[in-house]
Structures are given as C-alpha cells and as structure tokens.
Amino acid sequence: MTSAPNERQLQGLTTAEAKQRLNDEGLNELPSTSKRGWIHILLEIVKEPMFLLLLACGTLYLILGDHEEAMMLLGFVFVVIGITYYQEAKTEHALDALRDLSSPRALVKRDGEWIRIAGRDVVRGDILMLSEGDRVPADAVILSCTNLYVDESLLTGESVPVRKAEWDGVMEMARPGGDDLPFVYSATLVVSGQGIAEVRATGLRTELGKIGKALQNVETEKPPLQREINALIRDMGLAGAAMSVIVTIVFALTNGNNLLAWQRGVLSGLAMAMGLLPEEFPVVLTIFMAMGAWRMSQNQVLTRRMSAIETLGSATVLCVDKTGTLTMNRMTVRKLAAAGEYFDIPATGLPGSLPESFHELVEYSVLACEADPFDPMERAILEMGQSALKGTEHLHDDWELEREYPLSRQLLALSQAWQMHSGDGRVAAKGAPEAILDLCHLPEAERELIMKQVLDMSGDGLRVLGVARAIYNGTVLPENQHDFDFEFIGLIGLADPIRPTVPSAIAQCRRAGVRVVMITGDYPGTAQSIAREIGLQHPDLVVTGPELEAMTEDEISSRIRDISVFARMVPEQKLLLVQALKANGEIVAMTGDGVNDAPALKNAHIGIAMGERGTDVARESAALVLLKDDFNSIVAAVRMGRRIFDNIRKAMAYILAVHVPIAGLCLIPVLLRWPLILQPVHIVFLELIIDPTCSIVFEGEPEEADIMDRPPRDPAKPTFSRRVVLVSLLQGLGILIAVLVVFGVALYGRGLSENDARGLAFATLIFANVALILTNRSWTRSIAHTLRTPNKSVWWVIVGAISLLAITLYVPVAARLFKMAAQHPIDMVIAAAVGISTIFWFELFKKLQPEALT
C-alpha cells in the first residue's frame, strides 16, 4: 500500500533555511583523502630532478669559490619552486572544482518546488525524491514509497537489496540491515521503486561517516597518452645521462685533466643534463588534462575519466538519446484519438472546449499520472487535463489513491487504482500502446486497427501513449495489472520539439567526420520524422530493437554501417549496438541516463551520462557527465577534446624543439674546444621561459579554425608521428646552427671577447625561442594570422623574456653573473633578425602543406 505524506511534511525547506543549516552544519561530504595541501605540493617539488640539479650546481660553485654564481643559482631555486608551485596549485584547484561537480545529484523540494542540487548541498530537513538508480545523498526517513528496494551492501556487506517501508512517525533512526526499515542511508543505491524521504543526518553524522569510509568519484587515472610520454621521457633521460658523461669526460681531458678541470667538467655535464632533462613533459600532461577537464566543466561537461579527453578527438560515432538531448524534453499534448476520431491540439494549447467524446480519454490519462510528477509527459498530460476538463465532473481531486502498479521492464505500462466516495474503485492505465493493448486482451483485428492509428500518429513525429480503464469492487487489490479487466479508451500523441541548435550541430559533426546515431524508444515513424528534421544521414533507414536482437553478428555488422536511426530500443539493446559498432572499428561515444544504460556506458569508448535526468549509476559508469542535457554540449566536448589534444601536441613539439639547441650548445663547444656558451645559470634562465610557455601559453591557445573540419584522429597512430618529431628536431637544429654561427663569427671572425660573443649568441637564442613560440601556436596558420588571435599569456611571456634578457645584458651585476657583456643596438638587431629567421622555413612549410601536421 502507498499512502501520501501529509502536506506539512512535503513542504520541504526554504532556500534561506537550507542556507542557514549549510552554514551551521557544513557540507554534506566526507573529508577528501585526495586533496594535496601546500606542504605536500612543496615536498613533491623538492624531489624534482631539476631542483636537485640546481642544488648540485650551486654546491659545486660554492666548492669552487664562485660564491656569486652559487647564490644566484640557489636564488633561482626559489624562483623554480614558485613557478612549479603555481602550476601545481592551479592543477589542484581545477581538480577540486571537478570533485565538487562530481558530487551525486539530489532531487529536493525547496520553496515548494522540486529542484536538482549537488548532493554536497543537501541539508538536514530536506525532502528528497528517490527513484531507481539514485545514489542516496544522506541518511533519511521514508515518508512514502512504492516498491522501494535499496542496495546497502556498501554499509552492511549484504549483496541482496532490502525492501523499505514507510515511517510510522515514531521509530528512531536505526543501523542499516534487514527488510522493512523506514530508513535510507547515505551512499546506498536505489535499485527499484520510488520514495519520498526526509533527511535526518548529513556528512560525518551519517552511518557512512561514522564508519569512516570515503567515496571518491573523480578518477585521476593516467590517460593512454601517458605511456607515449613516459617512453619519450625515458629516451631523452637516457640520452641526457649519456651525453652528460661524455661532456664531463671530454671537458676534463681537454682542459688539463686536473681536479679543477674535472670539477668544471662536472658542471658542464650537469648543464647538459639540465638541457636535455624533459621535466616539462609530465607537467604539461598533468596541467593540460586537469585544466582541460575544468574548461569542459565550464561548458557544462564534467570529466570523470581523464582518458576521455584524449579519446574525444578520435570519436567517429556519437550515439545519442532523442529525448532531452536532441529535443527540448518539454512535452505537449498535440493529438488525441478515441473511438476512431482524431482531435488536433495546436502548439499554443487548447483553443476552446474539448469535444465530449474525448473527455473520458483525458480523464483517465490524468488519473494514470502522479499528483506531482517529475516526468515531462505526465506534466504535459496534467496541464492539458486541467485546462480541458476544468469545470467538468471528470476531474477527481477527492478520490483516494489506493495503489500504484509501476512501470516494469516486462510491461511498459503503469496503473493507478483509485477509490471513489461510493466505495467503488477505478483503475487508470497508460503506457506503450502495445503494452496497453496487451492489458486489454483485444481481438487481433481491433489491435491491428489501433496499431495503424499509432503508426499514423508516430509518422507525424509524435510520441504515442495508450490509455485504458478498469473497474474493481473488491476489498483486496490484485498483485498484477493483468488481473484487471481493462477496456481500451484511446491514444494520446505528445510532441517534443527539437532544440533549435541541433541541426547546425549535426551538420558540424558531419563536417568533422563524426556520424550521429539517434537512439529512441519511439516508433520508427516518430524517429524518422525527427531524423529528417535535424538532418541525420539516411533518415529513412531504420532498425528497431527487436530487429537488432534477431540479427546475427555478421548481419548487424553489415546493417549498422549506414544506419543512423534506431527505434523501439530498450537500454539492454544499447550494449549490443555499442559492441557491434566497436567491432566495426568505430570509436564510440554513447549517451545514457538509466540504470540499465550502465553496461553500455562502460563498454563504450566514451560513456556520456545525462546529468539533469540521469541516474547516479549511469553517472558513475560514464567517462563524461553532461551537466546540461543538450546535444550541443556533446559537440562542444568533442571540439574541446580536439583542442586540448592539439595544444598538448604543440606544447610537446615545442619542448622537443627548444631542447635541441640547449643540448647542442652544451655539447658542441666542448667537442670543438670552444669556450662554453651555456652554463647552468643560462639554462635556468631559459627554463623560466620554457615552463610558463608550456603550461600557460599553449594550454590557453584557442582552437584552430579548421578543428571541426578534419576527420577524427586515428587512435592507432602515435601522438608524435615521425613527421612531427622530424619537424621539431629540424626547428631546434635550425636554431642551434644559427646560434653557433653567431657565436663563432663574433668570437673568431670579429675578434669579440668571450663575454661579448656569449651575450650575442644568448640574445640570438632568446629571440629564436620567441619566434619558436609564435610559429608553434598554429601548425596551419602564419604568425601574422595568429597574432590576431587573442592569447594574453603569449605577450606576458614574450615581454618577460625580452625584459629579463635586457637585465642580463645591461645591468652590470647581472651581466657579470651571466658572464655576458652589453650589446650594441645594431648587434641586437642582428641577433633578433638571425633568431627570427630560423623559423622562416617552417612558415613556408605551413603555407605549402597546411594539412601535413594536423
């Protein structure tokens, strides 16, 4: 039996009351075990190889008596700590924001309205609505329920779901375990039924909080790209170690082979190690993934698995639900069918009175709805009923609800049994037309006639429901809907308008090489009508769920290659479709919102859960969660995923390119027995430019204009193809040759001092680095074009680099520490011209082969 809670209990809290309780009692969450404090971050920084190398160099300078160099290097230690701390804190802040967003959602009553809020914002006294698939956000007492079963294995270890009962108003909150308790507990899972509950405990005061278990919803596993990065770091690390040893030995043997030579040789070797150490790679990957996830959350897409960001750029098929994703999920009743007659209702609403012949159809469709529904179809039926039957005897606010027979997987219909004042009973049923016809046990000829009406209505793009009624006079209600003697009344057609932005988004997907597949439980006619309206490919080709299940694997593989519309699908059939698409070599993104969608969401390459209407089970199984159930959010996620991957590749290519001249300038002078061009202090200076460039400039770079006009990226191909690596090496080699030529000509051609030549060469290297940053902002557009694309970080880095260069050249103390001399303005112009000219070939390459690197 179900009895409704009284009106006082259902009022819920006001917004002001909830805010006050949130301030008094705190957020409904347990202490996070994954958040890193500033001390933890600093301890991680001091373990970094670059930090240890700086300390080693500073210590060696002290031993050699070069106190100024030692103090400057040790001073740079704090600068490096500051930059790294900023990067790490920024990443941690982004992850904190994601943890907040990943809190399970709760449907609560505030100010008399049902609204969805984050589970962490639930407070004591809130009224909750619980449905199948919900994660219970707090400990609560059950005010009313229908067939409510909850999985409490997290707390009790008992794998069998327990049945719940309604609270008698007296019993105190008890520990979980056993059937028929009127309590639900935080983090447990509703496996079936519905209920309304009042929150009694939140946060650490819940049973979950008492036993000290913590849940962690945001996953931070390393993406597959990490394996490729690790291999690159390993290779560069081994090369750096080998070359450091070579530089140390060669320097010592060619400079006297004494203690001082070996000490200086070790310094040169350490400089080489610093030059080749790719410490930026893991930083870039961490920051780009975390900030990318944060940026996606700003576009109403929550990233629960970081690997999804990488995979988004490879997606070839988007499988989306029709209702609420492609459509507005704002149902309106548009057509009625009863006794062989039709009645059309304009989108603006009922223009006048409803013909008498349709009153009974509307009356029983209203009786088959919840009193305060959340379902948009029931809301539409109630609104139409209240308008059409106002002032008639067909509205029954005084009838008492005796029992609800909920929708089930076996029977897609629900019934509500009502008791009249006379003592007689009436049963109203609505649901899928096939299910209603099954309840009515009609003869085959009549069934065929009604199904023809259903197909006609669905062909107009309407979602069709059947309505039936039954009479009962007994005192005990049967357990099964089939035990009633139902009489078929008629059909109701509801329309759900498409979202205005969907057709353009579909066209954008087509240009991007991404096929959109629509999945719906509606009839083929409804699905085809919507498919034509939004511009899907091959809208007239439809496969139904039963047809899909009846096919062999080979038939499925062949049929689905050109099919974009799947109708009469149930959640279990989504898994079959995902597996078939994957077997065809597609990279599949799948949307879902129900408990039964979880297997398909987990099996898809990218599971996308609906955040507004989705269950917590679906959200926990998905890699992405749409905070706004809109198809545009999915397309925006694909666009953002492509942008993030593009920018990661640009940043990595820049890192690889810029380390080539640094390493070469450490090695070649030693081999040629030239004076050293770069020493540890110069490399640290360069790192002050490289680090923010990687983590800030490229991360914030806007997307390429053609990003959604390219085919999806092949996941089998490496991130750094041979061509990309070759281009990066050539960029770095060009800079290396230019700087060596400038240094050699200045020192041996013009007879300048060592400090003069080093200053000129270093200035050339800085200008070349600036040019390298600018040219790598885009691999398809020229520098002139990208300069018109806003990215404030670029100018901060460039101005900072040139300002620091000016200080090291023209401030006497700094010039002495850097072993450089002030440069004549003409020499600075030469350095700038040579440095900038190193990227001319790449600018020409982009113009001639704009698609070579995309």
Side-chain angles (χ1 to χ4, degrees), residues 286-464:
T286 301
I287 289 178
F288 274 57
M289 288 298 183
M291 291 303 299
W294 179 80
R295 288 183 188 279
M296 289 179 72
S297 74
Q298 301 302 104
N299 287 323
Q300 305 297 306
V301 180
L302 170 64
T303 307
R304 289 181 43 80
R305 294 186 179 86
M306 294 297 181
S307 57
I309 295 175
E310 177 188 349
T311 313
L312 275 170
S314 305
T316 59
V317 175
L318 292 182
C319 297
V320 295
D321 290 314
K322 175 183 74 71
T323 303
T325 307
L326 299 174
T327 63
M328 301 285 288
N329 202 23
R330 296 176 186 167
M331 307 294 288
T332 56
V333 177
R334 300 297 301 278
K335 198 165 195 173
L336 304 175
E341 296 181 9
Y342 290 108
F343 183 77
D344 292 309
I345 301 175
T348 53
L350 196 65
S353 61
L354 183 71
E356 182 68 30
S357 56
F358 295 96
H359 280 198
E360 186 181 42
L361 171 61
V362 176
E363 174 187 6
Y364 277 88
S365 67
V366 169
L367 288 171
C369 294
E370 298 283 345
D372 188 10
F374 188 69
D375 181 81
M377 287 192 293
E378 292 200 339
R379 288 204 304 267
I381 291 171
L382 284 181
E383 288 172 8
M384 186 270 298
Q386 295 291 338
S387 170
L389 302 179
K390 186 176 181 180
T392 72
E393 72 279 9
H394 297 288
L395 290 177
H396 307 289
D397 295 333
D398 54 343
W399 287 12
E400 183 178 349
L401 180 64
E402 285 288 299
R403 179 166 181 172
E404 179 180 339
Y405 296 87
L407 197 76
S408 69
R409 297 180 184 89
Q410 292 73 34
L411 185 68
L412 297 178
L414 62 85
S415 301
Q416 295 201 135
W418 298 86
Q419 187 176 47
M420 305 163 62
H421 284 300
S422 63
D424 294 336
R426 295 290 185 272
V427 183
K430 75 174 189 313
E434 300 99 325
I436 294 298
L437 293 176
D438 185 34
L439 286 176
C440 295
H441 308 293
L442 295 175
E444 187 62 29
E446 195 169 346
R447 287 171 64 97
E448 289 180 2
L449 183 62
I450 293 172
M451 286 307 299
K452 184 179 181 305
Q453 292 179 320
V454 170
L455 293 175
D456 289 342
M457 293 172 70
S458 65
D460 294 331
L462 300 178
R463 173 172 287 189
V464 185

Side-chain angles (χ1 to χ4, degrees), residues 1 84 107 121 123 166 255 295 303 336 385 421 428 543 633 635 658 682 686 716 725 763 784 810 816 842:
M1 293 285 291
T84 310
L107 185 59
D121 294 330
V123 298
E166 295 174 8
N255 285 272
R295 288 183 188 279
T303 307
L336 304 175
H421 284 300
V543 168
S633 298
V635 179
V658 81
H682 301 105
L686 288 167
V725 172
Y810 299 107
R816 187 175 70 253
F842 187 60

Side-chain angles (χ1 to χ4, degrees), residues 503-516:
S504 61
I506 296 284
Q508 192 176 87
C509 286
R510 187 179 297 119
R511 292 197 307 274
V514 181
R515 178 160 63 106
V516 179

Side-chain angles (χ1 to χ4, degrees), residues 18 22 26-28 103-105 108 110 117-123 126:
L22 200 62
L27 293 170
N28 177 36
S103 172
R105 314 299 287 175
V108 302
R110 295 271 177 90
I117 62 172
R120 67 200 299 268
D121 294 330
V122 170
V123 298
D126 264 329

Side-chain angles (χ1 to χ4, degrees), residues 553-562 584:
E553 287 186 10
D554 290 341
E555 287 175 333
I556 293 175
S557 176
S558 175
R559 284 289 304 279
I560 66 174
R561 292 184 188 277
D562 298 318
N584 280 356

